[in-house]
Amino acid sequence: KLTADAAAARLDGVQASIDAAALADADLVIEAVFEDLDVKRAVFAQAAQAARPDAILATNTSYLDPEAIFAGVPGPERCIGLHFFSPAQVMRLLEIVPIKATAPAVLATGFALARAMNKVPVRAGVCDGFIGNRILKVVRAQAERLLLAGASPTKVDAAMRAFGLPMGPFEAQDLGGLDIAAFQRKAARERGETPFAPVAERLCAIKRFGQKTGGGWYGYAPGDRKPRASVEVEHIIAAAAKEAGSKFHPLDEGTIQRAIVLPMVNEGAKILAERVALRASDVDLVKILGYGFPRW
């Protein structure tokens, strides 16, 4: 989309370094390492030393607690969550997550940054998954309950595409990687919670993480992203259903859609009641721009 000259000019504005001292002149530092609390805290311990005292420090975490990430960082008023949705060069949504100490000017800068990048900012409160991934967690759990009740990944995905989503929940997991949600479940268990993912846990145990490993909920031929039903996954689902003592039910398209969408609505209502989202339209913006929920 760019001319060669414009592309060269953009690249000239990018510098790479493995030395934290390069942060000395930065106005804003955005951390984007993988979702491990200890690793993120180590990054900010280093960044706080190298950056100016007035530089804004931002985490791109998608579900970890920013309060815990920034604990002990000098000048917590300059700290904030800026959750860019993946792939960041395409997705317009930016969840802006202030911590208790975040200064109003820092929060305003997050919104100004979004506008400068042609992104849509939505303020979110601190909780597991903020607005978007908190609702996504419900979608994943409901989708797996449908599997235990007799549906297949293909049938669930087809029903949700018919509802208006660009791809179903299992196709989306294969695209993003099942290991991301597995990290989230691990963190939840460490908090004493019991996340529901009887089939996904079995897939992750045999390293079926999605397209990047050649198989997740579906199988993939080398160099081909087209999902294909997997006999191995069918056996894993059947074993999980048997272990859970599940009973199969008649599951038509409408039943599948309601089983996923209505709990999303309930979770959205809780998010509003807890003021994790400040207004209903913020929940709508997150779902439409971050997850392809149909605008109608």
Side-chain angles (χ1 to χ4, degrees):
K1 293 182 180 180
L2 298 176
T3 65
D5 287 346
R10 298 281 178 93
L11 288 171
D12 283 344
V14 178
Q15 296 175 328
S17 176
I18 58 170
D19 185 355
L23 302 177
D25 294 327
D27 298 312
L28 167 67
V29 178
I30 304 175
E31 160 274 312
V33 300
F34 59 92
E35 296 288 76
D36 182 287
L37 180 61
D38 291 337
V39 174
K40 287 182 183 289
R41 292 186 66 168
V43 167
F44 280 114
Q46 193 175 30
Q49 290 287 328
R52 298 195 320 261
D54 64 337
I56 295 173
L57 302 180
T59 175
N60 182 49
T61 185
S62 57
Y63 62 84
L64 294 175
D65 182 352
E67 298 278 3
I69 290 172
F70 292 122
V73 172
E77 68 281 354
R78 60 182 174 151
C79 299
I80 195 167
L82 296 177
H83 176 210
F84 290 80
F85 277 65
S86 181
Q89 78 277 17
V90 174
M91 304 298 281
R92 293 188 65 206
L93 180 65
L94 176 60
E95 277 185 325
I96 298 181
V97 189
I99 62 173
K100 290 187 183 76
T102 301
V106 172
L107 179 60
T109 301
F111 279 80
L113 174 72
R115 285 192 291 273
M117 298 179 74
N118 194 31
K119 293 189 180 293
V120 177
V122 174
R123 177 176 174 160
V126 173
C127 69
D128 186 33
F130 314 129
I131 298 172
N133 281 333
R134 175 167 162 176
I135 296 176
L136 181 62
K137 188 166 62 173
V138 171
V139 172
R140 287 176 172 149
Q142 287 301 103
E144 288 208 36
R145 288 188 178 97
L146 286 164
L147 296 184
L148 300 187
S152 65
T154 303
K155 190 171 184 179
V156 173
D157 283 346
M160 295 314 294
R161 283 198 307 274
F163 180 76
L165 290 168
M167 59 173 57
F170 297 111
E171 295 168 305
Q173 287 182 58
D174 273 4
L175 180 64
L178 275 70
D179 50 334
I180 297 172
F183 276 122
Q184 190 174 4
R185 291 192 298 272
K186 178 175 178 287
R189 283 192 293 271
E190 289 171 355
R191 293 195 302 269
E193 299 171 19
T194 308
F196 181 85
V199 184
E201 288 288 5
R202 295 174 192 227
L203 296 181
C204 290
I206 57 173
K207 295 187 168 31
R208 287 187 70 105
F209 295 137
Q211 291 185 13
K212 60 189 173 187
T213 57
W217 292 102
Y218 297 97
Y220 300 89
D224 187 359
R225 291 179 176 266
K226 181 182 178 182
R228 293 172 170 82
S230 165
V231 174
E232 184 178 13
V233 172
E234 288 174 9
H235 290 158
I236 291 170
I237 293 170
K242 183 178 180 181
E243 185 177 303
S246 299
K247 295 180 180 178
F248 287 0
H249 304 274
L251 296 169
D252 59 24
E253 188 176 86
T255 301
I256 290 171
Q257 291 168 353
R258 287 190 295 275
I260 289 178
V261 173
L262 296 183
M264 292 174 70
V265 174
N266 285 345
E267 198 65 28
K270 293 176 187 175
I271 285 168
L272 275 174
E274 296 168 18
R275 294 189 63 76
V276 170
L278 300 183
R279 55 189 69 82
S281 57
D282 283 354
V283 180
D284 292 343
L285 280 172
V286 168
K287 295 313 298 178
I288 291 167
L289 297 174
Y291 300 88
F293 200 84
R295 288 172 182 266
W296 60 264

